[in-house]
Amino acid sequence: MQKNEISIGTTVVAIEIQDGVMIGTDSQTSSGPLVSNKISDKISYLTRSIVCCRSGSAAQTQNTIDNLRSLVLTNLFERKFPLKVQHLAQIFREYCYRENAVNSGFICSGWDCFHGGQIYSITQGGYIFNQSIILMGSGSIFIQGFCDANYRLKMSELESKNFLTKALSLAILRDGSSGGFIRLAKITKKGIERLVLNPIKPFYKIEVQQIPKFILV
Amino acid sequence: RPKGYYFLRVRKFKLFMGLFHYDDDHRIWKDFNLKNFWRNEKEFLINSNAFFSVKKTGTTICGITFKHGILLASDTRATNGEIICDTNCEKIHFIAPNICCCGAGTSADTENITKILSNQLELQRISSGKETSVQMAVSISQKILFIHKGFLSAAMIFGGFDFLGSNLFCVHPHGSSEKIPFISMGSGSLAAMAILENNYKNDLGLKKAVLIIQEAVKAGIYNDTGSGGSVDLCILTRKKIRIIRNKIFSEIPKFKQNFNF
């Protein structure tokens, strides 16, 4: 990346829940040591029930998403039926590989009527893989252990919300390039619902030592 | 066929493409003249810093949303390395009857991008008959900047009032854009951002918003060597736009000063 380019050093966690998919991100973009935007939205919509999370260089990811939206529209006009998440992820991957999108990572997730909620991660260079929990970004390394220990398959909505807020608060606590507040998105059969939350503050107990009354010199 | 036939055909084609020039000294038509190539290479190797001296504007530009619309403000100094070449230059550009833009970075880049933008948008307005949205201006400039991979150093703030309401966008030199309630860019952005963060609230009135943004640009002028001069202001509301040139006017030094030694 060039000097002082806007980067989305971030934390993104995407998990599959009972009815669909739930995604959580932080909200900070930085340019070198400075924060350029602390209320940014890293979740961008592709169709009515498919969503994409961006990380890496802001300019390149925004440009690829603009080009992809036009590809998605041509596809929809031809087939006149909602796109499968798998199909969209493959279009993503082909585009990233051909155009050599350096410094950009995506998570393409959504709900479709064939396989329910799915998450696909497209890494730098165009490698695609599918899992039920995906972590992405510079702050994700700090919460790998936490997610491995606490994630269970097919959690309910409330449990997954708690899990995501805890995980993102821990990452925001320890990572310099993630910050701001937490943005959640839930994608189900009904569509996309958005939420904004404050991160939970550190929860250590700080014990204050009492000053003794007598100080022996 | 005669020998000179192909040369004639090639020459006419190149004339058509504008690749030939007429050499007045020798009175003949000539092709590319590449003799300055070696001079450029030597100059670049000796002194790469002073090779291109562009007119750069180290600036402070700010944008803020208030109740009825958008305010944009900027300083007025243009620098060329360490020399100030213009103490009262215009950094607020007009793009459409409802959109204005502030530009920071290399002034040639910002001026040319805004010219291209305003011409393209005028043609679109004529053919479609509707007013332009700010998002459209932002997307076109984003595309231009992304294609040039960050070599056009132009950071811009777009503000305008359209059918969706009041919008404030910022565009960075590599081609990323963001929609935000208040922003400051340029070399004096840190000082101005401190003032904006301290004083900004939702739904400000016009007078308070003008005070806040003036203080922000003044902070940029005082604390940054690349910004200086007067403060320009631009008020954008639904009914009209109003560009106030030199809202706070700082004295230009006089040419003749009578010294008594």
Side-chain angles (χ1 to χ4, degrees), chain A residues 2 29 37-38 59 62-63, chain B residues 142 146 174 176-178 197:
Chain A
Q2 295 179 26
T29 62
N37 189 2
K38 59 188 194 307
Q62 282 182 0
N63 193 52
Chain B
Q142 223 182 333
F146 184 74
H174 285 270
S176 57
S177 72
E178 275 152 6
E197 282 279 1

Side-chain angles (χ1 to χ4, degrees), chain A residues 37 39, chain B residues 63-66 70 168 179-183 200 202:
Chain A
N37 189 2
I39 50 173
Chain B
I64 195 173
T65 50
F66 70 105
I70 293 195
L168 186 65
K179 182 169 189 221
I180 17 70
F182 62 93
I183 190 76
Y200 177 80
N202 284 328

Side-chain angles (χ1 to χ4, degrees), chain A residues 43-51 109 184-194:
Chain A
I43 303 178
S44 25
Y45 304 136
L46 290 170
T47 71
R48 210 184 299 168
S49 57
I50 304 179
V51 132
S109 56
L184 294 179
K186 184 176 79 153
I187 310 173
T188 55
K189 183 163 65 169
K190 298 173 190 169
I192 306 175
E193 292 165 26
R194 299 293 299 264

Side-chain angles (χ1 to χ4, degrees), chain A residues 2-6 29 34 36-40 58-64 66-67, chain B residues 142-143 146 149-151 172 174-183 189-190 193 197:
Chain A
Q2 295 179 26
K3 189 177 124 183
N4 288 333
E5 192 182 346
I6 308 284
T29 62
L34 300 175
S36 70
N37 189 2
K38 59 188 194 307
I39 50 173
S40 65
Q60 289 183 2
T61 49
Q62 282 182 0
N63 193 52
T64 47
D66 282 341
N67 291 335
Chain B
Q142 223 182 333
K143 257 198 180 153
F146 184 74
K149 291 184 187 293
F151 285 105
H172 293 271
H174 285 270
S176 57
S177 72
E178 275 152 6
K179 182 169 189 221
I180 17 70
F182 62 93
I183 190 76
S189 67
L190 291 170
M193 197 52 148
E197 282 279 1

